[in-house]
């Protein structure tokens, strides 16, 4: 499995993904799931993927080929808006579906893929899209300013409690890491390293990109503090008022 | 959906279930999912269910009929051990499967059911079983002292952090309620009231049974304190050390 989360905030975007891939418990590997396309002062595009690794790699390969070919109407680097980029991601999903879905079905494998596309193109605000396996997609709004893909449920409560559009990038980064921590603790198919990108609105920069490895001092520190803090908080929550016989 | 959790502790058992049932978003109802069979000083059996409501009701109906008929070899009230009771629950699942699964399949409905059976029969320690849709089952052990069924992921992190076999009934009850709180906040298909049963080892009593309704003062208090406490804890977790450009 995988876990990726992205938040669309007033200050910009926060995107985080784990790197664990498993095809059965005896085939667990590390594949990073965040792909970045960038042109200074003009556009930043970040794609994160969950689902069947062969499918997600094929989708990225299609998008890469079209970028390299500078293919008018097909290249993410030439699309005039993030919306048009989401359309291109959806088209790449459909192209892979047309090639692979029948053979996968014959082998009893679902065509399982979901993608988060975030970024900014000059002239627009930062935007965030969730692309489904059918190639259709939705956009994040202030009412629902975040998307998750993959093994999303363990890490949802902390986001539901903290994230609002006004949350600043620093706090949102902390929240994303704690959300990943909860997921990694409860599910063995999600693991380090973590790709974390903080994108500041109108910066068109990918400078705030961290790869958080095993034994990262900050991540270890907040994991420990969060765990101890939750236990301390649990202790001070009042006990039930009923006498227990 | 549903969410039920049960913990097997040195002091006894804690079992909790929500009461929300949905068949599509326009058909949401309240059905309690905890069924208790009890004979003073001799046995306490608690069954909680998740999955298709028609199937779970049919399973309980089969078990009830056999108890009423005092059917030797089939009644939960006559089975000599909790293990034998788990066998009977599995047999009831298979009986319903034999009757309904084909028709369900023709209607595109999965045979979806899972059950938790906990309790104590005189002469044994308290025991806890998880029964699958195939009628097979597993038993909780000190290494994995809890089971969840239904919408289990949102409420798993708090249990993973708190519950050990040595946790006392009071703390475990608090943890179960906070686990339900996390689930109710993040998933609209899980809702109040909550059935909560604390079973003290060797008591053979069901006196510690609470039905927690909307506006229950204790549950509202701990939900609020937990939410505020998590937000305060989040605030004191150190910010990332990287300068964010």
């Amino acid at each position: 499995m995988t876990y990726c989360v992205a938040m669309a905030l007033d200050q910009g975007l926060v995107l985080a993904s784990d790197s664990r891939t498993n095809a059965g418990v005896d085939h667990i590997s590390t594949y990073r799931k965040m792909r970045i396309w960038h042109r200074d002062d003009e556009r930043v595009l970040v794609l994160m993927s969950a689902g069947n690794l062969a499918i997600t790699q094929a989708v990225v390969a299609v998008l890469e080929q079209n970028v390299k070919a500078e293919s008018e109407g097909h290249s993410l680097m030439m699309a005039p808006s993030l919306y048009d980029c989401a359309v291109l991601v959806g088209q790449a999903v459909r192209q892979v579906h047309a090639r692979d879905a029948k053979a996968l079905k014959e082998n009893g494998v679902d065509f399982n893929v979901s993608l988060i596309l975030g970024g900014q193109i000059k002239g627009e605000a930062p935007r965030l899209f969730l692309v489904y396996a059918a190639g259709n997609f939705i956009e994040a709004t202030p009412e629902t300013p975040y998307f998750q893909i993959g093994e999303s449920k363990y890490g949802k409560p902390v986001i539901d409690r903290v994230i609002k559009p006004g949350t600043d990038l620093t706090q949102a980064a902390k929240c994303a890491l704690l959300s990943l921590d909860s997921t990694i603790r409860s599910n063995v198919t999600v693991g380090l390293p973590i790709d974390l990108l903080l994108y500041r609105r109108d910066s068109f920069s990918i400078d705030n990109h961290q790869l958080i490895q095993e034994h990262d001092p900050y991540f270890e520190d907040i994991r420990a503090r969060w765990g101890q803090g939750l236990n301390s908080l649990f202790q001070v929550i009042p006990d039930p008022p009923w006498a227990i016989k």
Side-chain angles (χ1 to χ4, degrees), chain A residues 153-175:
Chain A
K153 294 184 180 185
Y154 306 107
K156 186 168 183 281
V158 63
I159 302 175
D160 281 338
R161 290 181 197 270
V162 169
I163 295 299
K164 294 167 187 60
T167 307
D168 70 31
L169 290 182
T170 306
Q171 301 299 308
K174 213 165 80 177
C175 179

Side-chain angles (χ1 to χ4, degrees), chain A residues 40-242:
Chain A
D40 278 343
D41 302 324
E42 199 272 326
R43 74 179 60 206
V44 166
L45 304 172
V46 186
L47 187 69
M48 302 191 295
S49 53
N52 181 301
L53 183 63
I55 296 172
T56 60
Q57 286 191 345
V59 169
V60 170
V62 167
L63 294 168
E64 283 284 10
Q65 280 180 339
N66 289 336
V67 166
K68 274 195 189 134
E70 299 184 8
S71 163
E72 182 87 39
H74 295 283
S75 166
L76 288 175
M77 294 305 283
M78 299 163 80
S81 71
L82 241 304
Y83 179 91
D84 293 295
C85 291
V87 170
L88 293 180
V89 173
Q91 283 175 354
V93 171
R94 288 172 185 167
Q95 189 174 328
V96 175
H97 186 273
R99 188 189 75 180
D100 289 348
K102 185 164 168 284
L104 289 174
K105 195 173 181 185
E106 285 166 9
N107 282 277
V109 177
D110 285 339
F111 189 84
N112 174 18
V113 59
S114 53
L115 303 117
I116 291 175
L117 175 71
Q120 184 175 15
I121 293 176
K122 200 151 198 165
E124 291 192 322
R127 298 172 79 175
L128 190 61
F129 292 87
L130 174 62
V131 184
Y132 297 105
N136 58 337
F137 54 84
I138 57 174
E139 182 169 6
T141 61
E143 294 73 30
T144 308
Y146 72 89
F147 287 135
Q148 300 172 291
I149 54 177
E151 196 57 82
S152 63
K153 294 184 180 185
Y154 306 107
K156 186 168 183 281
V158 63
I159 302 175
D160 281 338
R161 290 181 197 270
V162 169
I163 295 299
K164 294 167 187 60
T167 307
D168 70 31
L169 290 182
T170 306
Q171 301 299 308
K174 213 165 80 177
C175 179
L177 291 177
L178 293 174
S179 176
L180 271 145
D181 173 42
S182 292
T183 311
I184 289 169
R185 275 179 198 273
S186 285
N187 191 300
V188 72
T189 71
V190 177
L192 295 172
I194 295 169
D195 259 310
L196 175 67
L197 182 75
L198 312 188
Y199 173 73
R200 188 175 296 284
R201 186 187 182 98
D202 300 333
S203 69
F204 300 101
S205 145
I206 51 169
D207 289 348
N208 299 314
H209 184 192
Q210 303 287 332
L211 183 67
I212 293 164
Q213 309 261 17
E214 293 281 355
H215 311 304
D216 177 275
Y218 174 66
F219 190 55
E220 290 207 338
D221 181 46
I222 66 168
R223 295 186 86 171
R225 285 176 193 259
W226 185 247
Q228 288 156 10
L230 284 177
N231 274 298
S232 304
L233 172 59
F234 182 81
Q235 297 305 326
V236 301
I237 297 279
D239 290 341
W242 336 296

